[in-house]
Amino acid sequence: DTAVSQTPKYLVTQMGNDKSIKCEQNLGHDTMYWYKQDSKKFLKIMFSYNNKELIINETVPNRFSPKSPDKAHLNLHINSLELGDSAVYFCASSQELLRTRASYGYTFGSGTRLTVV
Amino acid sequence: GESVGLHLPTLSVQEGDNSIINCAYSNSASDYFIWYKQESGKGPQFIIDIRSNMDKRQGQRVTVLLNKTVKHLSLQIAATQPGDSAVYFCAENRWETPLVFGKGTRLSVIA
């Protein structure tokens, strides 16, 4: 049973389109995150949600809108896709609000590779 | 050997040798650190963590060393195996902030 699952795994789309990536965790964690990994493998936080509430928005364009219908789900919707949005997007979850007191840090999904053409 | 610049730093080691991967963290207020392993096509996976009140922590075949004076973290892998080939990240954390990841090092194990 996958702990943090993301769909789709691959997404190829044209510039200007709108797309969504879904994430679900079955760990009972309170906090979920979206990270973006660029072509140089650099991982950067985008958003953090705690119990369905937005906690962190790290200077991400307004075209990116996260939505958390419940604490087990955090979806990412992207409007008007641009070439620079091409990256791998990772969803993650942790047990406590941001601070990883549990000794295993964040649990990551396997990523969604977004390619904008 | 190592290469830096536009490409991800790479460490090549012979199977059976020990590996040492280094990381410089940025914030002196960070007090919790984690090493992650990312295999191709997968998300980062937890390896080992250390809190700032410790200098060293050992796991199974892995050891993390923390030098707060120079803000340096290292991951030592004993008897490196082909399955250890991956990209390794250090991550730092301080209270009420998300994990901040370092740049990553690719470990390549030569059989």
Side-chain angles (χ1 to χ4, degrees):
Chain A
D1 216 10
T2 306
V4 179
S5 58
Q6 295 177 230
T7 53
K9 189 165 177 65
Y10 300 97
L11 186 52
V12 181
T13 188
Q14 291 188 323
M15 274 196 304
N17 283 351
D18 303 339
K19 290 293 178 186
S20 292
I21 306 172
K22 295 186 176 181
C23 179
E24 175 182 4
Q25 53 97 3
N26 62 5
L27 297 165
H29 286 170
D30 287 336
T31 309
M32 296 183 73
Y33 313 84
W34 279 108
Y35 277 81
K36 178 180 180 180
Q37 187 171 49
D38 63 21
S39 58
K40 296 182 179 63
K41 296 290 189 182
F42 186 62
L43 274 160
K44 185 172 167 57
I45 182 74
M46 298 174 69
F47 299 103
S48 171
Y49 266 73
N50 178 255
N51 270 320
K52 304 189 298 176
E53 289 188 20
L54 178 66
I55 303 298
I56 283 178
N57 177 345
E58 287 284 329
T59 321
V60 178
N62 291 338
R63 298 182 296 104
F64 291 79
S65 52
K67 287 203 171 34
S68 182
D70 55 63
K71 75 172 193 177
H73 296 83
L74 180 62
N75 304 323
L76 184 65
H77 188 77
I78 316 170
N79 290 327
S80 304
L81 278 154
E82 300 177 357
L83 292 176
D85 297 332
S86 295
V88 181
Y89 292 84
F90 286 99
C91 177
S93 70
S94 68
Q95 192 161 12
E96 296 192 9
L97 173 58
L98 300 174
R99 179 64 178 204
T100 53
R101 286 192 181 280
S103 61
Y104 298 104
Y106 296 1
T107 302
F108 281 83
S110 56
T112 296
R113 181 175 293 277
L114 172 65
T115 303
V116 183
V117 296
Chain B
E2 271 194 14
S3 62
V4 296
L6 294 179
H7 303 289
L8 203 61
T10 298
L11 177 65
S12 298
V13 297
Q14 291 284 343
E15 182 179 357
D17 287 353
N18 296 334
S19 303
I20 300 176
I21 300 171
N22 296 304
C23 174
Y25 64 92
S26 57
N27 195 319
S28 55
S30 295
D31 59 358
Y32 179 60
F33 305 88
I34 306 177
W35 279 100
Y36 281 89
K37 173 186 181 183
Q38 186 180 18
E39 295 175 282
S40 182
K42 296 184 179 179
Q45 291 179 291
F46 174 93
I47 302 173
I48 191 168
D49 61 356
I50 188 167
R51 297 192 183 276
S52 60
N53 59 354
M54 302 172 71
D55 296 324
K56 178 179 179 178
R57 188 155 189 237
Q58 287 184 290
Q60 189 176 13
R61 278 202 311 120
V62 293
T63 301
V64 56
L65 298 178
L66 174 63
N67 184 332
K68 295 180 286 295
T69 303
V70 295
K71 294 190 289 186
H72 184 268
L73 206 61
S74 68
L75 177 71
Q76 300 177 2
I77 304 174
T80 312
Q81 302 168 0
D84 295 326
S85 293
V87 177
Y88 289 81
F89 296 94
C90 66
E92 60 183 294
N93 177 241
R94 61 188 191 281
W95 186 255
E96 293 191 348
T97 63
L99 280 179
V100 173
F101 284 80
K103 286 200 171 101
T105 297
R106 186 181 300 282
L107 176 64
S108 178
V109 181
I110 304 162

